[in-house]
Amino acid sequence: MRTIRQSQKLRGVRYDVRGPILVEAQRLEAEGHRILKLNVGNTAPFGFAAPEAIQADVIHHLPEAQGYSDSRGIYEARTAVAQYYQSHGLRDVMVEDVFIGNGVSELISMVLQAFVDDGNEILVPTPDYPLWTGAVTLCGGTAVHYACDESNGWMPDLADIESKITENTHALVLINPNNPTGAVYSKEMVEALVDIARRHDLVIMADEIYEKILYDGAEHHHAATAAGDDVLCLTFSGLSKAYRVCGYRAGWVMVSGPKDTASEFLEGLTLLANMRMCSNVPAQHAIQTALGGYQSIDELIVPGGRFYEQTVLADRLLNEIPGVTSVRPRGALYCFPRLDPEVYPIDDDEEFVIELLRAKKILVTHGTGFNWTAPDHFRLVTLPDVEVLEEAIGRIAEFLAARR
């Protein structure tokens, strides 16, 4: 019989956050081992529940959420998103500028399908959230990785970006706050990134899903504000992280700037939205309540709040391990520590995290899974409460001590 093979389009596409390491974790679980999964920023398993008002609104609207909606999203949700950006100074954002999707992940894939032609180059940070690189590749484009400088708080290297722009470069991706590093870009950095796009006629694609998760006085600056009316900017955000509803799959992309120059692209994006009929309708009813109601996230990101205390603790404990350094995250839900190659000579960081998993039953993600260039980092999710984090990082410290 003919062997059924995967599409050639998948060659070079990776998503190691749920790759071989998760398969090994599932094998160990089947044997009866209890695995602490610190590989995915999934809030619910760590005791974070959706705000009651959001749950109540979704339940209340279930009777009217049984049919398809407008493929771009229900009017109330899109209005709430538009008004949210208007309240942040982007007064020209209208309802028709908003597309609702099954989380940011779906919208990234849809936007890139509508935007990328074979051979197009898209500038993507390294390290990155790997869906960006994978989706660009799947669409026939090339993800060109620009460096973020660990010695400078993981800020993008502007000179490196400039050096990698060619006649085939079409867009610049920025992830702010950054996953996996936790970096939060200053107003000056956001403006500098947008200025590069302006001078080279690039589209800005701004992944801002962690915009409300900020620590120690860090401020988030929307790329769309800096882009103004002369740089096309696609802003991605949603409810998953700040409102602790990862499973609801409620996200959006907002289009700003010179939309008249992008009418054909937007027609293509609308076509793709139509082809998947619509996003999850019950979850769309959560958006208006979330954006307009009490912002419970504010309690979690200040001293005494769980997000804050867990992130600070994880950063401190990691830095206390000999040969390990971690840049203090200023946002998001992760640490991205470095293992000194002189202390821990690692050739294959995926194999390293699998060995850690087998020995200590802790599941983290290797740094090259985020398209980092060297096998000397890993990402750790900071969602467990402080007691569990102390135990988990203690086990990691024991594992590293044995390697030393």
Side-chain angles (χ1 to χ4, degrees), residues 127-268:
D128 72 338
Y129 177 56
L131 176 64
W132 280 104
T133 294
V136 169
T137 304
L138 185 60
C139 293
T142 300
V144 177
H145 293 104
Y146 64 85
C148 294
D149 185 356
E150 186 171 16
S151 67
N152 186 31
W154 288 112
M155 291 297 109
D157 185 330
L158 300 175
D160 190 55
I161 295 173
E162 293 269 11
S163 72
K164 290 176 175 173
I165 295 173
T166 72
E167 62 181 11
N168 293 321
T169 307
H170 287 259
L172 170 61
V173 173
L174 60 123
I175 305 172
N176 177 38
N178 186 268
N179 173 11
T181 67
V184 178
Y185 302 162
S186 67
K187 180 180 180 182
E188 292 74 20
M189 176 56 70
V190 172
E191 289 175 344
L193 291 165
V194 171
D195 184 60
I196 290 175
R198 181 176 287 114
R199 288 186 286 104
H200 294 280
D201 197 20
L202 307 179
V203 173
I204 287 284
M205 298 185 179
D207 184 342
E208 299 181 349
I209 186 66
Y210 295 97
E211 63 181 280
K212 291 181 178 291
I213 303 177
L214 307 165
Y215 310 120
D216 297 321
E219 293 183 35
H220 178 261
H221 300 276
H222 292 292
T225 302
D229 60 6
D230 64 338
V231 176
L232 189 73
C233 183
L234 306 172
T235 300
F236 301 81
S237 195
L239 303 188
S240 291
K241 310 300 182 178
Y243 299 94
R244 288 84 70 200
V245 291
C246 295
Y248 282 26
R249 311 313 298 134
W252 57 80
V253 60
M254 184 273 290
V255 185
S256 62
K259 295 182 284 289
D260 56 323
T261 66
S263 58
E264 185 178 290
F265 158 70
L266 294 173
E267 180 183 340

Side-chain angles (χ1 to χ4, degrees), residues 17 35 54 76 84 92 137 139 169 177 191 197 207 212 216 227 246 263 267 279-280 303 320 326 334 337 342 399-400:
V17 174
I35 307 300
I54 292 178
E76 294 82 0
Y84 171 76
D92 294 334
T137 304
C139 293
T169 307
E191 289 175 344
D207 184 342
K212 291 181 178 291
D216 297 321
C246 295
S263 58
E267 180 183 340
S279 67
N280 175 4
E320 289 176 355
S326 175
Y334 316 98
E342 296 296 321
F399 178 76
L400 291 174

